[in-house]
Amino acid sequence: MPFNLRGDDVCRPTPPTPLPNPYWVAFSPSVAKLLGVELRANNLPKDPEWLDVLAGNQLNAGELIFSNPISTVYSGHQFGSWAGQLGDGRTILLGDINNLELQLKGAGRTHYSRMGDGRAVLRSSIREFLCSEAMHALGLPTSRALALVGSKQAVRRETMETAAICSRIAPSFIRVGHFEHFASLQNVVRLKELADLLIAEFYPECLANKGPYLNLFKEISARNAKLVAQWQSVGFCHGVLNSDNTSVLGLTIDYGPFGFLDQFQIDHICNHSDHGGRYAYHRQPQIMYWNMACLASAMLPLLELEHSAEESQDLLRSALEEFSVIYTKEWHQLFRSKLGLQSKEDGDTALIERLLQAMHDSKIDFTNFFRSLSNIKKDSMPIEILQKDEFVDRENIDQWFADYVNRLQSELLNDAERNGLMNQVNPKYILRNYLAQAAIEKAQQDDFSEVQKLHQILMHPFDEQETFEHYSKSPPVDMQAIPVSCSS
Ligand code: AMP
Ligand code: MG
């Protein structure tokens, strides 16, 4: 959707800074297709014009001209504290194609770069490219990645690395931070424009009933509650769930020091810069709720257009409380599906929680355990579960399996049907850190084959893919704790 707010207080014209001698690293044909035929989906990697466009070296490809590249301003809370003005410090919104915004991340300094160089390194760009596509294939709402281009241009982080640009798309990249920015300036006109734009384009149903802005808040909050439940269900940790990294469309955005759980540790911290564990796996729902509270307080002036100050606060407060109801319902639904339960029974929550506790105590591989659970038969004791021997408390897990098999008796589906459905929600392949790291290390030696192969595998996370069986393995012991930080 066109980000059609204009003015120096909202955005600045920002031509990308050219990236010297760019080359293709990876490319997503399905995203190219979304953008339309002009991109000649399958020819894109051979197209020197598009290489230059996605490297920020030119603004037109054939008929298509990006005449108005901009960067936008937002503010936000980082690690729980007000960080003031931030903004697209290294991301340029090139323009729209087919109602989708196309951004270049790492395309050079912008008006909002502060002390940063406006670049992104190959390492983090590979991670963003692969993870956006992997999340999409897992069925989660996310920004998508079109392509990854690299260059030999040196970029200083902890060590010297090289620059890359990940081109990404979303219907909109508007964040909670955009609202917080104008709220902090008490600029109700801009707040209203932002809200109206979102309603017109993405939330038209909010106009149907009284109180469009309260409705808008509820919808955004509901989408993010469902999103975070989905993260939990695939073991995804975002890593920097600051309010400026929280989408108002309920999309996963701004992939940085994220991580998928290997071993199930409820308090797993994937971001090595997150010393207090604010963004640990089990805190994500609470943090998303906190971010929705930031949004509620930013939207307060909009409600005050129609209600008294006190009434507006009450309305938003009770709307905010719906978050945990929606989250909990979604979480239960998702975890019941992971266990292959179609019907609802009173003991289901306890059954799920007992399993997660046992997995935590024994550090069981989250993805592989749920995947193998689908092999269980209703009428035989589950001996074929791969990781059964890895549980430290055998008696406890034997009891759990007995209760689970017992619970399956009241399900209508037969073993094969249940197996089929479970394998559509319990992936076989996720972007494990050690796999990403191996692909990054090869790419840093100019071999992009592993990035491309991983991309292909992750586009079909629920398929068996026999030739790639080893990509589903838990990390080797020395690859279990690869440090991933905010540096990118
Ligand atoms: P992030 O934690 O990646 O979401 O970034 C937080 C803020 O820092 C955003 O405003 C980014 O645009 C900005 N930022 C991150 N890296 C850079 C960089 N290399 N140059 C300029 N700004 C950056
Ligand atoms: Mg960000």
Side-chain angles (χ1 to χ4, degrees):
M1 172 207 61
F3 183 91
N4 57 14
L5 272 50
R6 287 292 174 268
D8 275 4
D9 62 325
V10 177
C11 61
R12 301 284 172 134
T14 314
T17 307
L19 189 67
N21 305 314
Y23 40 80
W24 295 105
V25 175
F27 142 80
S28 175
S30 62
V31 177
K33 273 197 198 117
L34 278 181
L35 293 178
V37 282
E38 305 92 311
L39 287 191
R40 282 172 283 155
N42 292 316
N43 292 326
L44 187 56
K46 296 179 211 132
D47 188 331
E49 260 197 332
W50 269 99
L51 177 60
D52 272 328
V53 169
L54 299 178
N57 295 348
Q58 71 178 51
L59 289 173
N60 65 296
E63 307 279 279
L64 201 62
I65 301 175
F66 297 105
S67 52
N68 190 21
I70 56 168
S71 48
T72 72
V73 69
Y74 52 82
S75 294
H77 285 85
Q78 298 188 312
F79 288 89
S81 305
W82 177 243
Q85 183 186 308
L86 302 162
D88 296 324
R90 54 169 169 176
T91 300
I92 293 173
L93 172 55
L94 219 45
D96 281 59
I97 313 179
N98 275 357
N99 263 349
L100 291 161
E101 293 185 355
L102 174 59
Q103 286 196 339
L104 301 185
K105 181 165 175 179
R109 286 183 55 78
T110 76
H111 185 76
Y112 312 105
S113 295
R114 299 173 292 156
M115 307 298 283
D117 57 10
R119 288 298 184 195
V121 295
L122 181 63
R123 166 178 52 86
S124 63
S125 307
I126 288 174
R127 286 171 50 85
E128 172 143 10
F129 177 86
L130 290 176
C131 201
S132 330
E133 291 306 284
M135 292 285 269
H136 169 74
L138 287 169
L140 276 83
T142 176
S143 60
R144 303 281 312 266
L146 171 62
L148 182 52
V149 299
S151 161
K152 289 290 169 203
Q153 188 176 69
V155 175
R156 183 183 295 278
R157 293 293 180 260
E158 278 88 3
T159 58
M160 290 309 284
E161 299 189 48
T162 58
I165 295 179
C166 181
S167 38
R168 58 185 193 178
I169 63 159
S172 167
F173 283 94
I174 298 179
R175 302 135 197 275
V176 170
H178 282 101
F179 279 85
E180 287 181 286
H181 180 73
F182 296 112
S184 74
L185 300 173
Q186 297 173 341
N187 189 338
V188 186
V189 174
R190 287 300 195 192
L191 272 180
K192 189 169 175 314
E193 285 172 352
L194 261 183
D196 289 341
L197 177 156
L198 285 179
I199 291 173
E201 205 63 37
F202 304 108
Y203 295 98
E205 68 281 6
C206 291
L207 288 174
N209 299 314
K210 270 202 336 215
Y213 301 126
L214 181 65
N215 297 339
L216 177 64
F217 172 77
K218 285 184 184 172
E219 289 298 322
I220 296 174
S221 180
R223 281 202 199 180
N224 279 304
K226 289 179 188 160
L227 175 69
V228 82
Q230 285 184 281
W231 288 352
Q232 303 305 89
S233 79
V234 294
F236 174 78
C237 305
H238 183 283
V240 239
L241 195 47
N242 293 331
S243 61
D244 56 297
N245 291 337
T246 302
S247 155
V248 292
L249 296 189
L251 305 173
T252 315
I253 56 166
D254 282 21
Y255 291 90
F258 64 83
F260 280 88
L261 296 178
D262 292 308
Q263 297 173 341
F264 184 68
Q265 290 293 276
I266 189 106
D267 49 357
H268 176 70
I269 303 167
C270 63
N271 174 0
H272 283 237
S273 317
D274 180 11
H275 305 295
R278 180 179 170 83
Y279 299 135
Y281 172 79
H282 65 318
R283 293 222 173 104
Q284 294 191 120
Q286 198 183 321
I287 292 294
M288 187 61 98
Y289 168 85
W290 195 88
N291 290 343
M292 292 302 104
C294 292
L295 178 65
S297 96
M299 290 180 74
L300 188 62
L302 294 176
L303 271 85
E304 288 174 356
L305 296 174
E306 292 183 358
H307 307 275
S308 71
E310 200 178 320
E311 246 178 354
S312 304
Q313 283 192 20
D314 287 348
L315 286 168
L316 279 167
R317 204 174 284 126
S318 54
L320 184 61
E321 291 322 309
E322 290 172 24
F323 181 96
S324 44
V325 178
I326 295 169
Y327 168 78
T328 306
K329 188 167 170 226
E330 189 75 9
W331 187 92
H332 280 113
Q333 181 52 42
L334 291 167
F335 274 83
R336 256 202 311 273
S337 310
K338 287 180 84 65
L339 260 61
L341 306 178
Q342 304 291 302
S343 59
K344 274 190 210 170
E345 283 186 17
D346 283 348
D348 289 350
T349 304
L351 195 68
I352 298 167
E353 286 175 352
R354 278 168 57 207
L355 173 63
L356 292 177
Q357 183 67 54
M359 289 173 75
H360 171 85
D361 293 342
S362 299
K363 301 187 170 165
I364 301 298
D365 191 283
F366 183 76
T367 303
N368 289 346
F369 179 83
F370 279 106
R371 183 74 181 187
S372 61
L373 201 58
S374 63
N375 296 326
I376 287 193
K377 309 271 183 292
K378 265 181 174 179
D379 56 4
S380 63
M381 270 315 282
I383 40 172
E384 64 272 48
I385 284 288
L386 284 177
Q387 292 123 314
K388 224 178 125 190
D389 292 339
E390 294 171 20
F391 284 89
V392 279
D393 187 343
R394 287 300 302 264
E395 211 178 304
N396 177 51
I397 199 64
D398 282 343
Q399 183 59 54
W400 186 85
F401 275 117
D403 293 343
Y404 176 56
V405 171
N406 191 30
R407 169 66 180 84
L408 291 181
Q409 306 309 315
S410 50
E411 288 290 311
L412 296 175
L413 298 184
N414 66 31
D415 290 333
E417 290 164 339
R418 192 181 64 260
N419 172 287
L421 286 180
M422 286 173 81
N423 286 348
Q424 285 168 33
V425 293
N426 293 317
K428 172 134 181 167
Y429 301 98
I430 51 159
L431 181 58
R432 295 176 186 269
N433 264 348
Y434 84 95
L435 297 174
Q437 188 60 24
I440 289 167
E441 284 170 20
K442 271 199 174 172
Q444 287 171 333
Q445 307 298 320
D446 298 326
D447 176 354
F448 307 128
S449 59
E450 196 62 22
V451 176
Q452 291 160 5
K453 194 201 280 179
L454 208 44
H455 176 213
Q456 300 242 315
I457 296 169
L458 294 170
M459 290 311 283
H460 306 283
F462 300 107
D463 294 355
E464 279 298 321
Q465 306 189 55
E466 273 89 10
T467 7
F468 300 122
E469 181 73 26
H470 51 294
Y471 284 83
S472 68
K473 298 264 179 288
S474 311
V477 179
D478 57 333
M479 302 283 269
Q480 280 175 0
I482 301 162
V484 180
S485 72
C486 282
S487 155
S488 63

